[in-house]
Amino acid sequence: MRTDIAAVVVPPGTSLRTALARLDPTGFGVLLAVDGDGRFQRTLTDGDIRRAMLAEATLDTAVDNLPAPKSAPVTAPEGTGGYAARKAMIDAGVQHLPVLDPTGTPVGLYLRKDLDHTVPLSIPHMGEEEQVLIREAFDTNWIAPVGPHVDAFEKELAAKVGAPHAAALSSGTAALHLGLKLLGVRPGDTVFCSSLTFVASVNPVLYEGATPVFIDSEPNTWNMSPAALERALAEAKKTGTLPKAVIVVNLYGQSADFDAIGPLCDAYGVPILEDAAESLGATCGNKASGTLGRLGVYSFNGNKIITTSGGGMLVGDDPDLIARARFLATQGREPALHYQHTTMAYNYRLSNVLAAIGRGQLRVLDDRVRQRRAVFARYAAALGDMPGVDFMPEAAFGSSNRWLTALRVDPNLYTLTGEPLVTALMEDAIEARPVWKPMHAQPLFAGSAYHAHDPDAPVSVADDLFAHGLCLPSGSNMPEADQDRVIDALRARLTAARK
Ligand SMILES: *Cc1c(COP(=O)(O)O)cnc(C)c1O
């Protein structure tokens, strides 16, 4: 709501000349005519004034002497939220909605053009130093995919998360791919992976000609179920098909339960590749998310908590593994002047310019985590009273970065959940998303083995979360007014869908 309306409030006796002069500088496209006591009378647009002058008015005519408008103006009481305001404007076919206090005095103004913009799910949020660091890369002509910012970004990220070694790569997917190679995954091998994730977690398994086996989520963290993993490992041991690696995903910024998963994998001698693409800045116990497996992966894609526009990082304790990652990421070039190669490799290195952005972003990571958590806290406070609306839990063992605020809507209480609810919110110009469609349910992985958290339950945890869950716009740069629109829209949609 615009509250800087003093310039567009015109009292009786104001000439059309003065009114027109007031209209332009605000860009609001509307004036609010009031009576002698400041109470709202009517709206006046450019078109209203032009039509009056074509009839009989002159520039000296007072606004209160114009012919009355054809229909009563549409207004809203004080306290009307953006969502209800947009709906009222759509219903009435108007572009402006004056907001009046109980005495009828205008206190604000909603503009349709402000509210028609879609509230985005998660967009890049730059800090103040990225431009300076990029300029430095240009000034020193380090535009190449090597350079001082790459080295510095690796060191700074490693220090931030407490990982001894880090390799900056072109994407999180590239980091996962190299991670699997470094853990020795070969054609015909099996790799276990969380089912409830983005496809990038698993595509690299296919790159290597290996076979994914999917593990369900547990209700407490929405992440890999230790119970399902334990059964899957025991079964694989019996049939001599133990996996070469387990890809454990930390969904929406919440760490998986490594206190349970780590010892299990250790007991079977299977290394963990931790997909922390969404969880940079989160913790598990006293460790940073991403440092709990043999190797960990971060992503700096455009919608992640910090971004380089595209990029990734592979971290780990073993200097040889990370050195090998750098080697495989730079075409396997051996240290000879004449470009010597004995290994098939990749072009997976992060560029120096993007590393410069990453260094700036890393400096504001703590702010971004705070901001995302604040967005979550506002949602939880505003919607927590609604029965059957359950936010993704935060496990007691650590803290989530709340990359995306995710929630489940109880289908026993509402007729609208999951994807239909997301579609309804899109009509309200809100970019929500369903929870990831589980990998075991994707046509790409049809026929893959899947281990449910509770084998006796009619629906697995991941399938249930996909059917009834959604993610809300959660950007760290999200204005509170946008968030209020999301809150009001969700409440309105669910109230209408209450069983
Ligand atoms: C974003 C994401 C990736 C892939 O990262 P990119 O940098 O986009 O390649 C992998 N896993 C998960 C869970 C992700 O959300």
Side-chain angles (χ1 to χ4, degrees):
M1 184 176 80
R2 307 290 189 113
T3 52
D4 50 339
I5 56 168
V8 296
V9 174
V10 288
T14 306
S15 70
L16 291 186
R17 181 179 291 107
T18 305
L20 279 170
R22 294 257 210 108
L23 194 56
D24 276 351
T26 61
F28 293 174
V30 71
L31 294 165
L32 308 179
V34 295
D35 68 10
D37 295 323
R39 283 187 295 255
F40 177 74
Q41 300 298 304
R42 63 173 298 180
T43 55
L44 263 179
T45 64
D46 206 24
D48 292 336
I49 296 175
R50 226 170 321 113
R51 270 190 298 280
M53 289 182 62
L54 282 174
E56 61 214 32
T58 70
L59 284 174
D60 293 318
T61 305
V63 290
D64 41 314
N65 288 336
L66 295 183
K70 280 199 204 69
S71 51
V74 186
T75 63
E78 210 172 357
T80 302
Y83 169 74
R86 180 170 179 271
K87 197 162 180 322
M89 282 189 274
I90 290 171
D91 291 348
V94 295
Q95 301 297 316
H96 313 100
L97 186 70
V99 178
L100 311 181
D101 74 6
T103 69
T105 305
V107 292
L109 178 65
Y110 277 112
L111 305 179
R112 180 78 182 273
K113 66 176 183 198
D114 287 347
L115 299 180
D116 272 353
H117 89 94
T118 297
V119 181
L121 185 74
S122 176
I123 54 171
H125 184 181
M126 289 295 128
E128 294 184 350
E129 297 184 59
E130 290 85 346
Q131 301 258 7
V132 178
L133 290 156
I134 294 171
R135 172 151 295 282
E136 200 267 348
F138 273 75
D139 288 348
T140 54
N141 207 25
W142 277 109
I143 311 296
V146 291
H149 285 303
V150 177
D151 300 339
F153 187 32
E154 287 175 346
K155 288 203 178 72
E156 288 163 9
L157 182 125
K160 180 82 196 162
V161 300
H165 305 284
L169 302 169
S170 54
S171 69
T173 309
L176 285 158
H177 185 198
L178 293 186
L180 289 178
K181 286 192 89 77
L182 294 166
L183 297 179
V185 173
R186 304 266 270 278
D189 284 343
T190 297
V191 174
F192 285 5
C193 185
S194 311
S195 187
L196 192 60
T197 185
F198 177 50
V199 71
S201 303
V202 210
N203 265 331
V205 176
L206 301 187
Y207 300 168
E208 287 307 301
T211 304
V213 167
F214 295 109
I215 312 292
D216 194 8
S217 296
E218 56 160 344
N220 291 345
T221 62
W222 294 19
N223 283 313
M224 185 178 280
S225 155
L229 175 65
E230 182 161 26
R231 263 182 280 108
L233 284 167
E235 193 179 296
K237 169 108 185 174
K238 250 187 265 159
T239 55
T241 55
L242 274 175
K244 265 285 169 59
V246 178
I247 301 171
V248 180
V249 181
N250 305 311
L251 203 67
Y252 303 132
Q254 158 71 54
S255 175
D257 183 359
F258 280 86
D259 285 346
I261 292 170
L264 261 176
C265 290
D266 285 348
Y268 287 89
V270 182
I272 293 174
L273 177 57
E274 187 182 3
D275 182 350
E278 301 175 1
S279 65
L280 179 60
T283 60
C284 178
N286 55 9
K287 297 188 87 176
S289 187
T291 65
L292 291 118
R294 175 82 55 85
L295 289 167
V297 168
Y298 300 109
S299 165
F300 313 114
N301 199 356
N303 62 1
K304 296 287 155 59
I305 192 152
I306 62 169
T307 180
T308 59
S309 78
M313 192 78 78
L314 184 70
V315 301
D317 291 347
D318 183 340
D320 295 339
L321 284 184
I322 299 301
R324 182 82 182 159
R326 290 197 195 98
F327 170 76
L328 290 174
T330 47
Q331 308 284 17
R333 185 181 166 188
E334 278 153 38
L337 198 55
H338 55 264
Y339 290 82
Q340 177 94 348
H341 301 278
T342 49
T343 310
M344 181 196 80
Y346 305 88
N347 180 7
Y348 276 173
R349 205 70 165 118
L350 187 70
S351 84
N352 195 54
V353 176
L354 300 191
I357 301 176
R359 293 183 69 197
Q361 285 274 280
L362 200 55
R363 292 172 196 178
V364 292
L365 173 62
D366 292 346
D367 294 337
R368 298 296 176 262
V369 173
R370 234 187 337 271
Q371 288 153 342
R372 298 251 176 186
R373 287 183 62 88
V375 166
F376 169 84
R378 270 189 103 232
Y379 279 132
L383 297 164
D385 65 316
M386 298 195 79
V389 173
D390 297 308
F391 290 90
M392 180 180 186
E394 182 170 38
F397 54 69
S399 108
S400 168
N401 70 16
R402 294 288 185 192
W403 171 54
L404 294 183
T405 290
L407 54 95
R408 178 186 181 275
V409 176
D410 186 348
N412 296 316
L413 297 186
Y414 301 95
T415 57
L416 203 54
T417 69
E419 199 158 310
L421 178 53
V422 168
T423 307
L425 290 172
M426 277 175 177
E427 285 169 23
D428 303 331
I430 288 160
E431 190 191 12
R433 284 287 162 81
V435 165
W436 297 125
K437 178 172 179 171
M439 292 303 116
H440 73 268
Q442 297 284 358
L444 176 62
F445 299 111
S448 298
Y450 176 51
H451 295 268
H453 173 68
D454 175 1
D456 298 325
V459 183
S460 77
V461 175
D463 286 314
D464 173 81
L465 289 171
F466 171 59
H468 305 300
L470 70 158
C471 301
L472 299 179
S474 307
S476 46
N477 47 1
M478 185 179 189
E480 288 196 352
D482 276 7
Q483 201 184 357
D484 290 340
R485 260 175 69 196
V486 178
I487 290 164
D488 293 347
L490 190 62
R491 185 178 282 281
R493 291 288 180 180
L494 287 180
T495 303
R498 186 71 203 265
K499 280 186 180 169

